[in-house]
Amino acid sequence: MIAIEFKLRPLSLGILVIIAVAIRSAAAAPNVPSSLRSFPRRSKGGNKSILLPRGALNEIRSVLESHPNTSTVIQRGGATASSLAPPPSKPSPDQSPPKPIRIAFQGEAGAYSEKSLRELLGPHVLSIPRPNFESCYRAVASGEADYAIVPIENSLGGSIHENYDLMLRYDLTVVAEHDFRVRHCLLVKPGVDMKDVKYAISHPQALSQCDNYLRGRGITPVATYDTAGSAKMIRNAILEKEGKFSLPEGCTPENTAAIASDLAGKTFGLECKEEGIEDDDSNFTRFLLLGRRGVVQYLNKKIPSKTSLVFTLPNSAGALYKALACFSLRDVDMSKIESRPMSAGLLNYLRFRNTVTQMGGGRGVGSTVLSSQELPRFRYCFYLDILESELDERVQNALHHLREQSDYCRILGSYPAKSRLVGPVAEAVEALNAANAGKQSSSEDLRLKSLPSDEEDTRKLNIGFVGYGSFGQYLSKRMSAQHNLRCVDPLDKSKEAEENGVDYFPMFEMSNFLKGLDVVIITVPMIELEETVESLPSEKLRKKLIVEACPLNVYPRTVLSRILPPDADILCTNPMFGPAIMNNLKTDLSLDGLPFVYEKVRITDTRRADCFLSIFERARCQMVEMSAEDHDAYVADAEFVTHLTGRLLDRNLLPVTPVSSREYAALCDVADMTANDTFDLFYGMFKYNDRAKDLLNKMRDNLASVERKLAAKEAYLAASLEMKNTDRQKLLAECRMLLREVAKSSGKANDETTIERKLDTSSSTPEKQ
């Protein structure tokens, strides 16, 4: 069954008749069940949906694709596909100008990435240079940029693995690709003669690609951080600017050239002495355009398409062969496959997110999160490109088959191949080109130098800790370098605060403590939360961000929402770092892959909240936004059972042994973890979890069940042994009687006496028999 949703624009009567005939002819096919030959209509918004039998789809698609004024949405098992929308007409004078398209790229202005995006998207988009690749992803994910263009592989240098990893960390999707021809240019200060050039500065990879050219002219290569950045260094030297972008030692604007793009030369006012100086003219870099929404719904069979995916496989013989067979057996062509090692933290994060995605109702299903000891030292994920759309029926079947075999599988994007654009990005580019037809704009006018979030990177928050136990001390160690911190605690924590660079306030100076704070983090035990919040002066909390960090979220959210003033922002969090990290108080311990679960309960100042959350995001935590109800349903029970098990496993029950199994080591870790926690924390998990008593009773019942099974097994073995002894005595008695009869019949009294003695000896030592 295929559902097609029509978004009808004015159609001619002939087109409608053709569509109707196609539907009826397909329905009358002999291989279509009679139950599928009716077409019930169902309302979905303002559109009409029709259930079609198989066979009508191809005929209708060809009719609709040939008509320029029709767009369709085809649904197959929840996925959608649409034909290309017609090109937008030129805007009238009364229409508002189209919105600019903001594209983030890594590097300085004039970098090859910027030139690539202008080749793909045209000259009128806004480019945003970013200092690194992750900031490009972050800009798109936060909505500060519409798209990001990133290099994924080079024909000479190979894959850019950082971008592979970042595609897994951020929920962005590929919307287009572009093969960019890299042409290196020799850029110098205007008026400099080639014979005066002694040094060439650029990125090491660009220098290696021009090695023969430089050797032939006796030019010494000097490595710098970036290609376009080298052009910027010469420009700054000409302007006599010092600092980060000054020239290397011995280099001057008169004796130094930069190897970069011609766009970098135009951007920084340098003269291009020679173009195409690379040794190999087959130097291509493949760029991917990433966005928040995919374009798979705009692909059709007339558009050559690609689908990129990533998956992991179990460590078993033939696993990769079986995975690739999912596509080869269905004649799906593959253009690339690459394996990439991944960290345990990232793999656990992917499995954790996959598990949460599959959860529904009660308990979750999916892969189990493994500890680093249970995972092999080298864990691989596989990146695959196939030359079909994700909506192709063969691809759909292959993906269903692959998901049955893989631990994790994700579609990175289904997009048009060979630098084509479809969907909203194509419409936006065409609208920009139409609105700016005949206009000349400089690259400086079409370039954003910074983003609002750049201020957050340097913004210092005033953060206060209410309660300065082990968790508060750990957080302050991580935040003290960038933010202004202070703490308040009923106990004298002045020594600990001074060591961590935190200002300590006693409880009677609460008003002074709260004065001027941006963020208040409440890090007291959960059983003291309500009393602590009620003791805080309500007026002093207005327009501040209040953050709680508890193992449960529903109860703290209820308390804060009830007590705090309505203009106070509320953020519920559960940093699941574990006592092993928080009690260590070492900031060099990585948080990579550790979950940070949060809910924005009430946020008015989003920039302040995002600035606070970015502290943990930049530490590469698993940033999981989840409602308090879902958090407690998924996490609370597991946390309570873990802590209960650790408290039952007294360390005296787990003696140190020279040889131990992985299971024994895991039990020791659980016991050590819970031993470092206070009982108040455990009691809070018990008191404010409605299912805690049921879990405790279940644990008690399970222990009683194990005791009963042990007693039953012991009784069974004892009874079996008794029965064996009884059966042996009966057998010996029968043998004795038979032997007596034999002895009597033979008339040998001495033989009978000997037999009796042997039988008595046998019956007296049954264990040896």
Side-chain angles (χ1 to χ4, degrees):
M1 184 68 68
I2 304 170
I4 293 188
E5 183 179 292
F6 292 96
K7 296 180 181 177
L8 293 179
R9 299 180 183 181
L11 291 175
S12 66
L13 179 62
I15 294 294
L16 294 175
V17 170
I18 293 174
I19 293 176
V21 171
I23 294 175
R24 291 301 173 187
S25 62
N31 60 342
V32 178
S34 59
S35 61
L36 299 183
R37 295 179 186 174
S38 60
F39 310 104
R41 292 185 178 183
R42 58 190 181 191
S43 176
K44 184 178 181 181
N47 303 324
K48 300 291 184 178
S49 294
I50 303 176
L51 296 179
L52 297 183
R54 273 185 210 281
L57 177 61
N58 293 332
E59 297 185 48
I60 294 176
R61 189 198 297 271
S62 62
V63 171
L64 294 174
E65 289 176 352
S66 64
H67 197 279
N69 295 322
T70 308
S71 65
T72 63
V73 176
I74 305 172
Q75 297 182 343
R76 288 175 183 254
T80 59
S82 174
S83 63
L84 278 170
S89 58
K90 292 186 177 181
S92 65
D94 298 334
Q95 291 179 341
S96 59
K99 293 182 178 180
I101 308 175
R102 302 163 298 173
I103 312 295
F105 69 94
Q106 185 274 331
E108 297 287 347
Y112 287 111
S113 294
E114 184 178 15
K115 187 174 181 181
S116 173
L117 73 87
R118 299 208 179 278
E119 281 187 4
L120 176 64
L121 301 173
H124 304 296
V125 297
L126 287 178
S127 60
I128 311 173
R130 307 303 298 152
N132 51 60
F133 289 124
E134 186 163 10
S135 62
C136 297
Y137 286 81
R138 198 160 48 235
V140 179
S142 64
E144 292 183 304
D146 299 307
Y147 302 94
I149 190 164
V150 296
I152 199 68
E153 59 182 340
N154 179 264
S155 58
L156 302 181
S159 298
I160 293 88
H161 294 132
E162 181 181 358
N163 282 321
Y164 277 115
D165 294 341
L166 290 171
M167 279 196 290
L168 296 181
R169 290 187 176 276
Y170 291 86
D171 288 324
L172 303 182
T173 184
V174 184
V175 299
E177 69 168 358
H178 179 54
D179 291 340
F180 174 73
R181 168 73 164 88
V182 179
R183 294 182 62 83
H184 294 305
C185 300
L186 194 70
L187 309 176
V188 298
K189 176 184 175 180
V192 170
D193 196 286
M194 272 295 298
K195 65 181 181 180
D196 297 328
V197 176
K198 304 299 180 184
Y199 301 98
I201 59 174
S202 189
H203 188 276
Q205 192 173 29
L207 294 174
S208 65
Q209 293 171 357
C210 304
D211 183 64
N212 291 338
Y213 175 87
L214 298 177
R215 286 175 181 272
R217 286 157 180 78
I219 299 176
T220 303
V222 179
T224 58
Y225 73 102
D226 189 43
T227 52
S230 63
K232 185 175 184 178
M233 288 180 178
I234 296 179
R235 193 279 306 269
N236 287 352
I238 296 172
L239 300 177
E240 297 183 351
K241 290 185 178 181
E242 300 294 334
K244 175 183 177 182
F245 301 107
S246 57
L247 285 173
E249 184 178 358
C251 297
T252 66
E254 290 73 24
N255 68 2
T256 304
I259 296 179
S261 67
D262 58 344
L263 180 60
K266 297 176 183 177
T267 301
F268 297 109
L270 301 182
E271 179 186 351
C272 179
K273 280 296 184 182
E274 194 166 351
E275 185 178 359
I277 64 173
E278 62 277 357
D279 300 334
D280 193 335
D281 60 1
S282 62
N283 188 1
F284 286 86
T285 298
R286 181 181 173 220
F287 286 84
L288 297 180
L289 187 67
L290 305 176
R292 292 182 293 275
R293 295 182 180 178
V295 296
V296 62
Q297 63 268 36
Y298 301 97
L299 301 175
N300 57 47
K301 289 188 175 180
K302 293 184 178 180
I303 302 176
S305 305
K306 273 187 180 182
T307 300
S308 298
L309 61 144
V310 59
F311 58 92
T312 61
L313 294 172
N315 188 18
S316 59
L320 180 59
Y321 170 80
K322 296 174 184 176
L324 297 181
C326 298
F327 299 94
S328 61
L329 292 176
R330 295 173 174 87
D331 293 328
V332 177
D333 193 10
M334 293 173 281
S335 61
K336 175 183 178 178
I337 182 171
E338 182 172 352
S339 62
R340 167 82 177 130
M342 62 193 309
S343 66
L346 179 57
L347 181 58
N348 275 334
Y349 167 54
L350 298 177
R351 291 180 174 178
F352 173 82
R353 188 174 63 180
N354 198 38
T355 301
V356 172
T357 302
Q358 297 180 29
M359 283 182 172
R363 306 304 301 169
V365 295
S367 303
T368 304
V369 176
L370 302 176
S371 65
S372 58
Q373 291 86 357
E374 295 174 299
L375 291 168
R377 290 184 177 180
F378 292 93
R379 298 158 289 273
Y380 292 92
C381 56
F382 298 90
Y383 293 86
L384 186 68
D385 287 350
I386 57 177
L387 300 180
E388 295 287 350
S389 167
E390 177 188 355
L391 296 180
D392 184 89
E393 187 173 359
R394 296 170 300 152
V395 175
Q396 285 285 312
N397 293 333
L399 291 175
H400 288 313
H401 194 180
L402 177 63
R403 288 189 176 101
E404 293 175 357
Q405 303 180 32
S406 62
D407 297 327
Y408 172 81
C409 180
R410 176 185 162 193
I411 305 299
L412 298 175
S414 195
Y415 49 93
K418 300 179 180 179
S419 304
R420 292 178 174 85
L421 299 175
V422 297
V425 61
E427 295 176 357
V429 168
E430 290 175 359
L432 278 177
N433 293 337
N436 294 279
K439 296 181 181 179
Q440 295 292 332
S441 300
S442 66
S443 58
E444 289 294 330
D445 297 334
L446 296 172
R447 187 180 294 127
L448 294 179
K449 295 183 179 179
S450 63
L451 294 175
S453 61
D454 295 341
E455 300 177 5
E456 297 176 4
D457 295 343
T458 57
R459 179 182 178 184
K460 279 184 173 288
L461 292 175
N462 296 317
I463 302 176
F465 294 90
V466 178
Y468 201 58
S470 60
F471 181 53
Q473 294 176 41
Y474 174 76
L475 290 183
S476 67
K477 291 275 284 187
R478 296 199 73 93
M479 300 177 182
S480 59
Q482 187 175 358
H483 302 284
N484 302 318
L485 307 180
R486 61 184 77 165
C487 69
V488 64
D489 196 279
L491 302 177
D492 185 5
K493 299 287 187 179
S494 57
K495 181 179 179 181
E496 292 86 346
E498 184 179 1
E499 292 176 353
N500 297 331
V502 179
D503 296 331
Y504 169 74
F505 289 76
M507 293 296 292
F508 60 83
E509 292 189 19
M510 181 62 74
S511 295
N512 292 332
F513 165 76
L514 294 173
K515 186 177 180 180
L517 286 181
D518 299 310
V519 182
V520 178
I521 306 177
I522 303 175
T523 57
V524 299
M526 194 158 46
I527 59 175
E528 302 175 9
L529 177 67
E530 185 172 5
E531 180 182 355
T532 301
V533 177
E534 288 178 342
S535 67
L536 300 177
S538 179
E539 283 297 317
K540 299 291 184 180
L541 298 177
R542 296 186 59 185
K543 297 184 179 180
K544 299 185 188 303
L545 173 62
I546 312 301
V547 181
E548 62 83 16
C550 294
L552 301 179
N553 282 119
V554 172
Y555 169 72
R557 185 186 65 180
T558 304
V559 170
L560 296 181
S561 301
R562 175 173 54 85
I563 299 177
L564 294 178
D567 56 352
D569 290 355
I570 301 175
L571 182 67
C572 290
T573 69
N574 180 14
M576 302 173 65
F577 302 160
I581 286 183
M582 290 186 293
N583 291 326
N584 200 309
L585 299 183
K586 291 183 179 180
T587 57
D588 57 348
L589 294 178
S590 175
L591 300 182
D592 188 5
L594 296 179
F596 186 94
V597 186
Y598 67 95
E599 180 188 15
K600 295 180 178 179
V601 179
R602 188 170 68 206
I603 301 294
T604 55
D605 190 341
T606 55
R607 292 185 63 183
R608 179 179 58 187
D610 291 341
C611 183
F612 175 77
L613 292 172
S614 68
I615 299 172
F616 304 95
E617 181 181 359
R618 295 179 191 282
R620 293 184 177 268
C621 292
Q622 301 175 22
M623 303 302 292
V624 183
E625 186 170 7
M626 183 184 296
S627 68
E629 290 79 9
D630 289 343
H631 169 272
D632 288 3
Y634 299 150
V635 177
D637 291 356
E639 288 289 294
F640 177 75
V641 172
T642 301
H643 283 258
L644 176 61
T645 304
R647 293 190 175 275
L648 293 176
L649 293 173
D650 187 89
R651 207 59 173 99
N652 295 328
L653 298 176
L654 301 170
V656 178
T657 61
V659 179
S660 62
S661 63
R662 290 182 178 179
E663 294 76 11
Y664 187 82
L667 289 177
C668 292
D669 290 341
V670 172
D672 292 338
M673 177 190 71
T674 53
N676 293 325
D677 277 332
T678 63
F679 189 78
D680 288 345
L681 174 67
F682 178 65
Y683 180 73
M685 294 181 182
F686 170 78
K687 182 176 181 179
Y688 300 110
N689 185 352
D690 295 335
R691 296 175 297 276
K693 290 185 178 179
D694 294 335
L695 293 171
L696 192 60
N697 291 332
K698 181 65 175 177
M699 184 75 80
R700 188 183 296 111
D701 293 341
N702 289 346
L703 182 60
S705 175
V706 171
E707 290 179 342
R708 289 194 298 268
K709 289 180 179 179
L710 290 173
K713 187 67 174 180
E714 187 177 14
Y716 169 77
L717 294 176
S720 298
L721 181 60
E722 183 66 26
M723 291 179 62
K724 288 180 180 179
N725 291 337
T726 303
D727 292 343
R728 184 180 288 107
Q729 293 296 334
K730 291 180 179 179
L731 182 61
L732 289 173
E734 292 178 1
C735 291
R736 185 182 291 109
M737 184 176 61
L738 292 173
L739 290 173
R740 284 175 184 162
E741 293 179 359
V742 172
K744 287 180 181 179
S745 62
S746 62
K748 296 181 180 178
N750 292 336
D751 291 344
E752 184 177 355
T753 303
T754 304
I755 291 173
E756 287 287 346
R757 189 181 301 113
K758 290 182 178 180
L759 288 173
D760 291 340
T761 302
S762 299
S763 61
S764 63
T765 57
E767 294 82 359
K768 297 181 180 179
Q769 301 300 318

